Every structure is written in structure tokens, then in C-alpha cells.
């Protein structure tokens, strides 16, 4: 569904954990940012909490009434005694309900994309939602079986082989079969987003991509066979490359996408290069979903000092993808 007046995509913006910085950064995006120039925003949250937060960070009452109230869907699910910085089952349940409502709006044709503020994995678990994060929760809500976490930072696009697992377990997950599936999946997904066949690179898992076997054998045993199999299937993919340089090469535009072997291999590179402007994108969903590149920041919640640039970038990218790809976003089976 597109705004009939300005032909802008409707982006459902979830407020995130009520005790985190989500309410603050969402408010700042709409008050101080230029979100309304790229999309028709729809904040899903608790209007009373947003109003209290606006007062705490000195947002003018008139601005709140004009720029927030008309664009808010009030679920009224946060008690007045919620304390910033303190996670709980109550705030976890509320943040989960915002996500559920956003998916419902998309299903009903009332939203074109979703941009999410940060949630607490511990708080939603306390509320009985047993998902390690947004990605898996959204996959469950949309009956998506094949999906992947990725990060977009300008020309750097990184797709993760594993996400929230220990480093020891992540190394064990570097297997030829899994890499073949992820490379093929990434090629299809990025071709939809970019409108062309992408040029992919795979990061090694060991220092210097094992330096010919000096520092491990995962490259020769698991990664190279996966790359060769994908190249035989017509995918433009190369590697494995030394992980300490490949992300910079991707950032400079040498590759359209980089496959990372584990979570922090990707996020350290992305956040070092583009913290505050990089965006988390869930690939494989039947909808467009973007998110911030940071967490709930409970330590500064309620102080008014939260930086909102990543939330702004997430909303803008969601709008751009909605316009650019529309029906092309879901890759046919």
C-alpha cells in the first residue's frame, strides 16, 4: 500500500523495548529527522509512554501533537510505572506485541515495510517469547523457513552464516553444505534488491584465510569446496579472502556482498566502518524489514542523549527498498 497523496511507502516503525532507548530515538527521527520526505511513517507503540518520553527530552508539545500523534498506532500496553533501563517481562511483552502488530499491518496491506527499534532478547524471553532476536521472531510470524541476517552500510552488504551462537559453535557451523546454501540464497536475494546479478566474496574464518593451511584447514576443507560448487552453478563468487581486508574492499564497492562466517566477524567490520549509519536487513522474509545496528542501551535510557542516526538510516532504507523492489523483494521458490 502506498500513500495516495505523495506515493510514499508506509513504513511501520516499532517502538522497541519501552525501557530502552527505542522510544527516544523513534521520537527524534520524526521530530528532528526528515523521515516524512521519504515515507509515510506509522509508529507502533504506547502513546502515553511516547508523550512522557517527549517531555523528558524537551520536545515541544506542539511538535508532539503535529508530528507524532497523527502517525501513531497506540497499543496502550505499557504501565505508567515502567522505569527506563530496567528490563522486565512487561516491557518484553509490549515490544513483542509491536512486532506482531507490524506484521499484521503488512498482511492487511496497511504497511509496505517494517523498521524496528531495538528489543531486549532477555526481556522477550521473560515474557515467554523464546526467540534469540528479531530475525527469528519475524521468520516465525511469516512462516519463513530460509532467512539470514545481513547488514547494509553504504556499498558494503554483509550476510551472516551464523548469528547469536558462541564463537566455538560458530566455527563448527562453517560447513560446505551450509555455505553453498547461504551463497546461493544471498545471490538470489541481492539480485532482487539490486536488480542485477551480484558479485560476491567469502571471508575466511582463520587469520589471513589460513595462509595456505598454516593457521587452520576450514578454508581448504569447507569454504573452497563451497565456492567452487557455487561457481559451477553460475554464481559470481570468489574467495576465501583474508577477513581483515575483505570488508573494506566490499565497502569500497569491489563486491556487492560479503559472506561472513560468524556474527562478530561481520558486525565489528560494519560498525567500525559505519556505526550509526549501518542497517540490519533481514533477507528472505516476504516483507521488507530493517533495524538499527545497536541494542537497547539500557545504561543511557531516559537520559535524552541517545543517538538516532541508525534508526533514521533504517527507516530510510526500508522506504527505499519498498520503492525500488516492490513485488520483486520475495524471490520465487
Amino acid at each position: 500500500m502506498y500513500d495516495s497523496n505523495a506515493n510514499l511507502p508506509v513504513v511501520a516503525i516499532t517502538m522497541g523495548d519501552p525501557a530502552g532507548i527505542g522510544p527516544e530515538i523513534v521520537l527524534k527521527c520524526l521530530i528532528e529527522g526528515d523521515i516524512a520526505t521519504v515515507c509515510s511513517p506509522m509508529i507502533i507503540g504506547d502513546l502515553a509512554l511516547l508523550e512522557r518520553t517527549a517531555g523528558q527530552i524537551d520536545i515541544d508539545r506542539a511538535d508532539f501533537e503535529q508530528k507524532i500523534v497523527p502517525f501513531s498506532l497506540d497499543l496502550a500496553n505499557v504501565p505508567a510505572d515502567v522505569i527506563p533501563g530496567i528490563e522486565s517481562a512487561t516491557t518484553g511483552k509490549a515490544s513483542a506485541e509491536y512486532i506482531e502488530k507490524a506484521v499484521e499491518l503488512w498482511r492487511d496491506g496497511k504497511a509496505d515495510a517494517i523498521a524496528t527499534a531495538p528489543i531486549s532478547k532477555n526481556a522477550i524471553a521473560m515474557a515467554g517469547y523464546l526467540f534469540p532476536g528479531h530475525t527469528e521472531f519475524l521468520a516465525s510470524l511469516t512462516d519463513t523457513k530460509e532467512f539470514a541476517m545481513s547488514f547494509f552500510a553504504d556499498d558494503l552488504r554483509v550476510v551472516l552464516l551464523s548469528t547469536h551462537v558462541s564463537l566455538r559453535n560458530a566455527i563448527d557451523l562453517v560447513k560446505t553444505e551450509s555455505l553453498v546454501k547461504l551463497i546461493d540464497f544471498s545471490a538470489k536475494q541481492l539480485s532482487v534488491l539490486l536488480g542485477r546479478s551480484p558479485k560476491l566474496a567469502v571471508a575466511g574464518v582463520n587469520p589471513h584465510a589460513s595462509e595456505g593451511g598454516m593457521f587452520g584447514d576450514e578454508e581448504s576443507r569447507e569454504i573452497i569446496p563451497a565456492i567452487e560448487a557455487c561457481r559451477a552453478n553460475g554464481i559470481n563468487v570468489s574467495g576465501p579472502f583474508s577477513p581483515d581486508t575483505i570488508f573494506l574492499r566490499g565497502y569500497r564497492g569491489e563486491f556487492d556482498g560479503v559472506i561472513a562466517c560468524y556474527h562478530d566477524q561481520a558486525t565489528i567490520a560494519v560498525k567500525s566502518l559505519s556505526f550509526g549509519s549501518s542497517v540490519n536487513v533481514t533477507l528472505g522474509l516476504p516483507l521488507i524489514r530493517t533495524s538499527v545496528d545497536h541494542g537497547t542501551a539500557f545504561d543511557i535510557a531516559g537520559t535524552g542523549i541517545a543517538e538516532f542516526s541508525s534508526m533514521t538510516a533504517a527507516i530510510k532504507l526500508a522506504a527505499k527498498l519498498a520503492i525500488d523492489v516492490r513485488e520483486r523483494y520475495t524471490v520465487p521458490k
Side-chain angles (χ1 to χ4, degrees):
M1 184 194 80
Y2 287 81
D3 184 276
S4 59
N5 294 322
N7 196 37
L8 295 177
V10 176
V11 177
I13 305 166
T14 60
M15 192 179 75
D17 192 292
I21 63 171
E24 178 184 338
I25 61 176
V26 168
L27 285 171
K28 287 179 175 178
C29 281
L30 269 71
I31 297 294
E32 302 180 38
D34 54 354
I35 299 305
T37 65
V38 297
C39 73
S40 179
M42 182 188 300
I43 306 172
I44 303 173
D46 184 286
L47 192 58
L49 177 64
L50 287 171
E51 185 174 6
R52 292 198 299 274
T53 304
Q56 293 166 357
I57 60 177
D58 297 324
I59 289 177
D60 184 79
R61 179 69 188 181
D63 279 343
F64 182 81
E65 293 288 346
Q66 180 181 3
K67 298 181 180 180
I68 303 298
V69 174
F71 304 100
S72 297
L73 179 58
D74 183 16
L75 297 196
N77 59 354
V78 179
D81 60 354
V82 163
I83 302 173
I86 305 298
E87 60 186 356
S88 65
T90 297
T91 61
K93 184 174 186 293
S95 60
E97 289 173 348
Y98 304 145
I99 300 166
E100 292 171 330
K101 175 57 72 172
V103 173
E104 178 186 324
L105 291 170
W106 166 77
R107 287 192 189 281
D108 292 342
K110 297 178 180 178
D112 300 293
I114 297 172
T116 59
I119 61 172
S120 163
K121 300 171 183 62
N122 186 47
I124 65 168
M126 292 167 67
Y129 294 84
L130 302 181
F131 300 101
H134 266 117
T135 302
E136 296 80 5
F137 191 8
L138 286 163
S140 176
L141 289 172
T142 58
D143 297 318
T144 301
K145 305 303 180 186
E146 189 177 11
F147 56 90
M149 177 185 291
S150 71
F151 288 91
F152 285 33
D154 298 319
D155 285 335
L156 175 62
R157 305 170 191 89
V158 184
V159 187
L160 282 63
L161 179 62
S162 62
T163 54
H164 301 118
V165 299
S166 71
L167 181 56
R168 186 181 302 277
N169 290 339
I171 301 305
D172 291 338
L173 293 173
V174 180
K175 300 296 183 184
T176 298
E177 181 180 1
S178 298
L179 279 164
V180 167
K181 289 181 179 179
L182 182 62
I183 294 168
D184 178 70
F185 172 83
S186 300
K188 290 176 180 176
Q189 291 291 317
L190 290 176
S191 70
V192 172
L193 299 181
L194 300 176
R196 54 182 167 79
S197 296
K199 183 179 181 181
L200 302 179
V202 180
V205 69
N206 294 299
H208 306 290
S210 84
E211 196 78 36
M214 292 181 63
F215 313 125
D217 65 352
E218 284 82 4
E219 283 76 13
S220 62
R221 180 165 46 88
E222 306 290 350
I223 301 177
I224 291 175
I227 292 171
E228 290 177 344
C230 290
R231 288 181 66 87
N233 289 331
I235 298 174
N236 186 353
V237 57
S238 55
F241 295 105
S242 180
D244 62 358
T245 58
I246 187 58
F247 298 99
L248 180 60
R249 292 170 65 184
Y251 184 76
R252 290 175 173 172
E254 188 173 341
F255 300 97
D256 296 310
V258 178
I259 307 299
C261 288
Y262 56 92
H263 182 276
D264 281 15
Q265 183 183 61
T267 56
I268 290 172
V270 168
K271 293 182 181 183
S272 295
L273 288 167
S274 300
F275 189 78
S277 63
S278 58
V279 177
N280 182 340
V281 180
T282 305
L283 300 179
L285 298 176
L287 55 87
I288 294 168
R289 179 262 173 164
T290 64
S291 190
V292 292
D293 66 355
H294 57 75
T296 52
F298 285 128
D299 57 323
I300 63 169
T303 64
I305 64 172
E307 170 59 49
F308 63 100
S309 57
S310 183
M311 190 75 235
T312 300
I315 296 169
K316 288 185 174 181
L317 181 59
K320 181 180 186 300
L321 293 177
I323 293 171
D324 286 351
V325 302
R326 305 198 181 193
E327 288 82 15
R328 292 194 308 147
Y329 185 78
T330 302
V331 178
K333 301 294 184 183

